[in-house]
Amino acid sequence: MKRLVPVLVVATILLIPTAAHAAAPADQDYVALGDSYSSGVGAPGQSGTCLRSPNAYPGLWDAANDPATYKSVACSGATTDDLRSSQLSALTAATDLVSVTIGGNDVGFAPTIITCTLVGDSACAAKVDESLEYLRDEMPAKFTATYAEIRAKAPNAKVVVLGYPILFDEAATSCGFAGMSIPKRKSINKGARELNAAIRAYAQAAGFTWSDVTDEFAGHGICGASPWLHGLTVLPPTNSFHPTANGYRYGYLPALNAALA
């Protein structure tokens, strides 16, 4: 079965206690984990195979707060399995702060968007709906294991799990060349909301801090008058459906700051 944007199935998970840590930013050791929404795809200054940018929200937070140490190991295309196999080595018992976005690639974010770009409204909706079985069968264990391993590697850290923006403005009648129809936008947005709800449930069950970015991005969806997200992009194509520089600075960064307040 193809991995597509999921529909929430709430599972009962035992709460893992969160370690209390109140270090000031100047004393903190900060590690950013996750996928392209944490590495900075869509922002200026991307480099390397992971497409990391100093203009992603972790780099912006580092520049504004000057923590004792900062390292981003977030990588474009990363799944929960990738995070567990290649990113956790950056964490130690001395890590004070961890931020992470993860889950979108597990459920096939890119294939879903590509499919919806090429097919009709009902086929797009069907592709989104197919994710229900995948979420039920696979994602509970993946989220639970990922968050448990983060806690084990960084037992003293405050861990902030950030969600994904709702991609599309649903009111605009036109979305440009090869743009999504309103029914497609609604289907994809529905999937994003339910993906966020699932991530929130498992993150909070793990004792982590959840940060929902949907309020920060409200009014700035693709097809709208003031988007903070790239639509379909030719050069570079990887920027497609990722935050712009404004999306990271005025969307994700305030969401992280709010979670740390």
Side-chain angles (χ1 to χ4, degrees):
M1 174 180 173
K2 293 183 178 180
R3 300 179 178 186
L4 304 173
V5 179
V7 178
L8 174 64
V9 178
V10 178
T12 301
I13 312 172
L14 293 176
L15 182 66
I16 301 172
T18 305
H21 204 87
D27 300 321
Q28 288 184 338
D29 295 307
Y30 171 34
V31 178
L33 308 175
D35 56 22
S36 56
Y37 276 69
S38 290
S39 70
V41 174
Q46 300 167 57
S47 63
T49 57
C50 285
L51 301 179
R52 296 188 190 116
S53 169
N55 295 298
Y57 74 86
L60 295 173
W61 192 90
D62 169 55
N65 292 278
D66 193 24
T69 65
Y70 161 65
K71 184 175 185 180
S72 175
V73 291
C75 195
S76 178
T79 64
T80 53
D81 289 344
D82 296 324
L83 187 153
R84 293 167 63 194
S85 66
S86 64
Q87 298 185 18
L88 292 178
S89 60
L91 304 178
T92 71
T95 304
D96 300 290
L97 174 62
V98 177
S99 65
V100 58
T101 58
I102 202 70
N105 291 313
D106 289 78
V107 299
F109 167 74
T112 299
I113 294 292
I114 292 170
T115 298
C116 286
T117 299
L118 298 175
V119 302
D121 296 344
S122 60
C124 173
K127 289 298 182 183
V128 173
D129 289 341
E130 283 178 13
S131 62
L132 177 61
E133 182 180 348
Y134 187 81
L135 179 63
R136 285 174 173 166
D137 292 347
E138 304 293 341
M139 292 313 295
K142 287 182 179 292
F143 282 133
T144 302
T146 299
Y147 297 149
E149 290 188 29
I150 290 172
R151 174 53 69 217
K153 291 287 188 178
N156 302 306
K158 181 180 183 68
V159 181
V160 180
V161 180
L162 297 98
Y164 297 99
I166 304 305
L167 289 179
F168 293 98
D169 181 303
E170 296 180 3
T173 56
S174 174
C175 203
F177 175 73
M180 300 285 187
S181 67
I182 291 176
K184 290 180 183 180
R185 287 178 244 163
K186 289 182 176 180
S187 292
I188 294 169
N189 286 352
K190 173 179 176 287
R193 291 185 182 97
E194 290 165 346
L195 173 58
N196 281 335
I199 296 171
R200 175 179 180 172
Y202 293 109
Q204 291 182 334
F208 295 163
T209 299
W210 162 252
S211 185
D212 189 342
V213 303
T214 57
D215 285 346
E216 285 81 3
F217 278 87
H220 298 287
I222 300 166
C223 309
S226 179
W228 288 353
L229 295 143
H230 295 280
L232 185 63
T233 306
V234 177
L235 292 174
T238 49
N239 280 359
S240 298
F241 308 106
H242 284 83
T244 63
N246 281 345
Y248 287 111
R249 181 172 294 278
Y250 302 118
Y252 268 101
L253 180 60
L256 177 58
N257 286 333
L260 298 176

